[in-house]
Amino acid sequence: MRSIWNGAISFGLVSIPIKLVNATESHSISFRQIHTEDNGRIRYRKVCELEEREVTQSEIGKGYEDADGTIIPISDDDLSHLPIPTARTIEIVAFVPADRIDPLQMDAAYYLAAGGAPAAKPYVLLREALKRSNKVAITKYALRGRERLGMLRVVGDAIAMHGLLWPDEVRAPEGVAPDTSVTIRDKELDLADALMDTLGEVDLEDLHDEYREALEEVIAAKASGEAPPEAPEPAAGGKVLDLMAALENSVRAARESRGAPPSPAEAEVRPLPRRSAPKEAGTKKSTSTTRKTAAAKKAAPARKSTSKAAEGTKKTAASKTTKTTAKKTPQKKTTSRRRTA
């Protein structure tokens, strides 16, 4: 690997020659700017404003623009003779526990390679001291025109350095957290813990950049004259109205995806009880109307039964009257016969 910086680690009176090597690499796919009509490349040319001509990279240097617009040229030789001890040295200033470092401060990562055979022993000495102490070394160093903060730690058999942001470069999270009062129940925390346990751990080696892979498929399809693959339909989302039900469903789905049997103590999904909204103006009217409607419904069967009873009574009376009339009619006929006789 090609080194990007050569210097030494200052460890008290011990100096360890080292080479700085990038520990990470980017696999992101980059694009060129083109003219959409003919696919011609769009390039940015470096032009001197005073001479109005394009200049080469060898003619370009650094300069500081003063408040009045004056340009003060700064050469690489000026930067190499800065009056600071970290110009070409990674100076260890302290050793602290690793948990003292806020991950928000983490920046670029580098490997430190020993600069030749004489650096091997002090390099290994520092590495083993870091291992035994379970601490990390806080350093200061100069790189790319500015002094930086760093952290040394052991990775395998090598020493790695993480660039750190200065504490005043990390913004406070003001106004980020919810400003509303929220109550979390123990049952909800238990379900969240169950979900975390069910999802378990993951081997980072198994994770990959799906976006880059999909982008490579699109590029390959376009290069071969084929239609690019279509994106799948997004899953229909909805509002989570019941947090408990959402957590329980998440735990169940995670267990099923891993082929784990359902837990016997798995809670059932219970919808939250609905509370009626407080009544406003006009509530009494609607209540009285409801009562009247209910009373009317109760009265209706009563009226029907009363009318049926009345009809029955009338029918009974009519039948009695018919029978009585029928009995009286023969008596009249008998009387008339007697008189005739």
Side-chain angles (χ1 to χ4, degrees):
M1 291 185 285
R2 187 175 62 88
S3 64
I4 62 171
W5 185 89
N6 295 333
I9 299 175
S10 175
F11 179 30
L13 297 178
V14 178
S15 180
I16 310 172
I18 56 96
K19 296 179 179 179
L20 200 65
V21 178
N22 282 321
T24 61
E25 59 185 1
S26 175
H27 290 166
S28 61
I29 297 176
S30 59
F31 295 99
R32 302 292 187 185
Q33 290 186 328
I34 62 170
H35 187 201
T36 55
E37 293 185 2
D38 53 16
N39 291 345
R41 282 280 305 276
I42 302 298
R43 298 181 182 272
Y44 292 95
R45 304 187 184 278
K46 299 178 180 180
V47 177
C48 175
E49 292 183 349
L50 298 179
E51 299 181 7
E52 295 183 353
R53 69 174 182 89
E54 186 177 354
V55 296
T56 62
Q57 184 62 37
S58 61
E59 299 178 86
I60 299 175
K62 300 181 181 67
Y64 174 79
E65 185 176 3
D66 207 350
D68 59 357
T70 304
I71 299 296
I72 303 173
I74 301 293
S75 66
D76 292 337
D77 186 61
D78 296 330
L79 297 177
S80 64
H81 291 86
L82 289 175
I84 55 174
T86 57
R88 280 290 170 183
T89 304
I90 299 175
E91 182 185 6
I92 296 178
V93 296
F95 292 89
V96 299
D99 57 7
R100 286 270 304 274
I101 305 301
D102 189 342
L104 285 174
Q105 289 184 256
M106 295 287 187
D107 203 356
Y110 309 93
Y111 288 132
L112 303 183
K121 186 170 183 177
Y123 184 98
V124 173
L125 173 63
L126 176 60
R127 182 190 68 193
E128 296 304 313
L130 289 172
K131 280 184 180 180
R132 191 167 69 172
S133 66
N134 290 322
K135 294 182 178 181
V136 297
I138 302 301
T139 67
K140 293 172 69 176
Y141 65 101
L143 182 65
R144 297 190 179 99
R146 55 172 294 196
E147 188 176 51
R148 302 167 187 262
L149 198 62
M151 176 189 74
L152 302 185
R153 70 183 184 96
V154 178
V155 177
D157 291 332
I159 298 176
M161 182 173 72
H162 293 269
L164 299 179
L165 299 175
W166 295 97
D168 59 356
E169 292 179 317
V170 179
R171 300 172 63 183
E174 296 178 358
V176 177
D179 57 357
T180 56
S181 178
V182 177
T183 301
I184 301 297
R185 295 178 292 170
D186 291 339
K187 179 62 176 177
E188 293 168 337
L189 281 175
D190 293 341
L191 283 171
D193 290 341
L195 179 58
M196 294 168 63
D197 293 339
T198 304
L199 292 176
E201 298 182 357
V202 64
D203 187 355
L204 295 181
E205 297 294 332
D206 296 335
L207 301 179
H208 56 278
D209 188 351
E210 296 181 5
Y211 179 87
R212 179 172 60 87
E213 293 175 355
L215 188 56
E216 289 174 347
E217 291 180 9
V218 171
I219 294 173
K222 296 278 285 185
S224 59
E226 300 176 358
E230 296 184 359
E233 291 293 332
K239 294 182 178 179
V240 180
L241 300 178
D242 188 344
L243 181 59
M244 291 288 290
L247 287 170
E248 289 168 347
N249 289 335
S250 299
V251 172
R252 187 177 297 109
R255 285 174 179 160
E256 291 175 356
S257 65
R258 282 161 172 73
S263 172
E266 184 175 346
E268 296 181 356
V269 178
R270 300 180 303 278
L272 292 176
R274 296 182 178 178
R275 296 181 180 178
S276 56
K279 303 291 183 180
E280 297 180 356
T283 304
K284 293 182 179 179
K285 290 184 179 180
S286 60
T287 306
S288 61
T289 304
T290 304
R291 290 177 180 173
K292 288 179 180 179
T293 305
K297 288 181 179 179
K298 291 181 180 178
R303 289 175 183 172
K304 289 181 181 179
S305 59
T306 304
S307 61
K308 288 181 179 179
E311 289 178 1
T313 304
K314 289 180 181 180
K315 289 180 180 179
T316 305
S319 63
K320 288 181 179 180
T321 304
T322 304
K323 291 179 181 179
T324 305
T325 305
K327 290 179 181 180
K328 289 180 180 180
T329 302
Q331 291 177 358
K332 289 181 181 179
K333 290 181 179 180
T334 305
T335 305
S336 60
R337 288 176 182 175
R338 288 178 181 177
R339 287 179 182 176
T340 304

